[in-house]
C-alpha cells in the first residue's frame, strides 16, 4: 500500500482541516471489470441485490467499504445514462423522466433531459468508490460531503491558485451524476446538492453539500488550505460578535476609497 500512501496522507489532512462527518470519498470510473481493485464488494454478487449508486457511495464514505458497481449492480438508471454506460432511451429524452411529477409539461421535461450531464456512451462501464484514507487504486476525483461552513473554507482554498469563481450547474436531481460527470467532462471542481435519492436512500444529511475536486487539482487545494491557515482562515473558528467588525487592511482601504 506504500504506492497509495500519498492519498492516505491527503485524506488525513483533509479530514483534519475540515472536520468532516464522513470519510473523504474517492471515486474512479472503470472501463472494464479487470480494473476492479482487490477487495471491492459488488452489490449484486456479494450482497445479493442491486442498489442505487448513492448507496454504494454511502457505504464507502460512512462505513469505509470499497464498492464497485456496474450496470447489473444498479437499481437507479440515472448513473447508467449519466456515466455513459448506455445511451439514454427516447422516453427519457422526450421528458417523461420528470413529467408529470416534477415539471409542468413534457417540454420542461425535455429541457431537463437536455441539460442532464452525460459522459460519451461507451467510454466507461463501471465505477468504484472507497474512503480516500484506505484506497488501493488511483482515483479520478475526490468528493467531500461538507456543510456550508466547511464548503466556504474549501472554496476559499480553491480560489487561492487563480482567484476565479467556480461556475456550476446545480440541480435538485441525480447527485451521483452532477457531482461526477461535469468533473470528468470539464476537469474543473464542482459543487452539487444531495438529491432526494441521496437523502432518502443513502442518508445524506440535511446540512450536507458535495464538493468534488479532480485528483490533479487536489494538491492545489491543499496548498490553498495551508496558505489560508496562515491568515487565520481555518476550522474550528469561534465567531465573536463585535459592534464594529475588524476587517483586513485591504477592506478598510477600499472602503475609504469609495466612501
Amino acid at each position: 500500500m506504500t504506492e497509495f500512501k500519498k492519498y492516505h496522507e491527503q485524506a488525513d489532512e483533509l479530514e483534519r482541516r475540515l472536520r468532516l462527518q464522513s470519510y473523504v470519498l474517492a471515486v474512479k470510473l472503470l472501463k472494464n471489470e479487470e480494473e476492479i481493485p482487490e477487495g471491492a464488494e459488488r452489490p449484486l454478487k456479494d450482497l445479493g441485490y442491486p442498489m442505487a449508486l448513492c448507496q454504494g457511495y454511502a457505504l464507502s464514505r460512512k462505513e469505509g467499504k470499497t464498492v464497485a458497481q456496474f450496470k447489473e449492480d444498479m437499481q437507479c438508471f440515472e448513473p447508467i445514462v449519466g456515466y455513459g454506460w448506455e445511451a439514454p432511451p427516447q422516453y427519457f429524452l422526450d421528458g417523461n423522466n420528470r413529467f408529470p411529477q416534477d415539471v409542468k409539461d413534457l417540454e420542461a421535461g425535455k429541457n431537463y433531459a437536455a441539460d442532464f450531464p452525460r459522459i460519451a456512451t461507451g467510454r466507461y462501464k463501471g465505477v468504484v468508490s472507497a474512503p480516500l484514507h484506505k484506497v488501493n487504486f488511483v482515483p479520478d476525483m475526490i468528493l467531500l460531503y461538507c456543510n456550508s461552513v466547511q464548503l466556504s473554507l474549501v472554496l476559499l482554498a480553491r480560489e487561492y491558485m487563480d482567484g476565479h469563481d467556480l461556475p456550476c450547474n446545480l440541480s435538485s436531481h441525480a447527485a451521483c451524476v452532477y457531482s461526477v460527470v461535469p468533473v470528468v467532462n470539464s476537469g474543473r471542481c464542482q459543487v452539487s446538492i444531495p438529491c432526494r435519492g441521496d437523502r432518502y436512500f443513502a442518508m445524506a444529511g440535511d446540512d450536507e453539500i458535495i464538493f468534488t475536486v479532480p485528483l490533479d487539482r487536489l494538491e492545489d487545494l491543499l496548498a490553498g488550505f495551508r496558505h489560508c491557515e496562515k491568515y487565520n482562515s481555518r476550522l474550528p473558528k469561534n465567531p465573536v460578535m463585535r459592534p464594529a467588525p475588524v476587517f483586513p487592511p485591504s477592506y478598510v482601504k477600499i472602503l475609504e476609497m469609495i466612501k
Side-chain angles (χ1 to χ4, degrees):
M1 296 294 286
T2 55
E3 61 189 298
F4 306 110
K5 183 179 179 182
K6 176 178 71 172
Y7 306 131
H8 304 162
E9 293 173 345
Q10 289 170 332
D12 290 341
E13 182 172 358
L14 286 167
E15 289 169 2
R16 173 176 59 84
R17 291 186 179 281
L18 293 174
R19 299 169 182 263
L20 301 168
Q21 294 299 304
S22 62
Y23 297 129
V24 176
L25 182 63
V27 169
K28 179 179 177 62
L29 297 171
L30 305 175
K31 295 180 179 179
N32 51 59
E33 294 193 3
E34 285 69 37
E35 293 186 338
I36 297 175
E38 183 180 356
E41 295 186 12
R42 294 285 301 275
L44 189 59
K45 176 183 176 182
D46 298 319
L47 303 178
Y49 50 84
M51 59 173 55
L53 181 55
C54 57
Q55 293 178 305
Y57 285 175
L59 288 174
S60 294
R61 73 182 187 93
K62 292 175 178 288
E63 298 186 22
K65 295 184 177 182
T66 300
V67 181
Q69 292 177 264
F70 286 72
K71 184 173 65 173
E72 59 268 27
D73 297 299
M74 291 292 175
Q75 198 169 11
C76 177
F77 86 88
E78 288 175 321
I80 296 175
V81 169
Y83 288 19
W85 301 348
E86 293 290 345
Q90 192 62 44
Y91 183 83
F92 170 80
L93 298 174
D94 287 342
N96 293 285
N97 178 221
R98 292 302 165 206
F99 177 77
Q101 68 271 29
D102 294 325
V103 295
K104 71 174 184 176
D105 53 31
L106 276 174
E107 191 63 30
K110 289 180 183 178
N111 291 337
Y112 168 80
D115 288 347
F116 190 72
R118 288 160 48 197
I119 298 171
T121 303
R123 182 176 173 185
Y124 298 106
K125 293 296 183 182
V127 64
V128 63
S129 61
L132 184 63
H133 74 267
K134 59 179 288 188
V135 290
N136 59 350
F137 58 87
V138 178
D140 292 322
M141 64 195 72
I142 308 304
L143 279 66
L144 307 173
Y145 275 71
C146 51
N147 60 32
S148 62
V149 175
Q150 294 161 337
L151 179 62
S152 179
L153 182 58
V154 171
L155 292 173
L156 189 67
R158 189 206 67 84
E159 292 163 8
Y160 166 70
M161 295 304 293
D162 61 19
H164 284 301
D165 292 342
L166 178 62
C168 288
N169 293 335
L170 294 177
S171 174
S172 60
H173 302 294
C176 62
V177 172
Y178 280 84
S179 61
V180 170
V181 175
V183 180
V184 173
N185 289 340
S186 72
R188 295 195 302 256
C189 298
Q190 170 78 2
V191 172
S192 50
I193 308 298
C195 60
R196 287 172 296 189
D198 204 355
R199 296 185 189 282
Y200 300 166
F201 308 143
M203 298 180 290
D206 290 346
D207 61 342
E208 287 186 308
I209 307 171
I210 308 167
F211 179 85
T212 309
V213 55
L215 185 68
D216 61 4
R217 298 296 304 275
L218 183 54
E219 272 301 331
D220 288 347
L221 185 70
L222 292 171
F225 281 124
R226 295 162 194 153
H227 174 83
C228 293
E229 186 177 39
K230 297 176 185 176
Y231 294 88
N232 209 29
S233 292
R234 57 176 177 77
L235 293 174
K237 182 75 172 179
N238 296 319
V240 178
M241 178 70 78
R242 296 188 176 105
V246 178
F247 287 102
S250 63
Y251 279 60
V252 176
K253 185 173 182 177
I254 294 172
L255 180 63
E256 292 172 349
M257 289 177 176
I258 61 177
K259 268 190 172 181

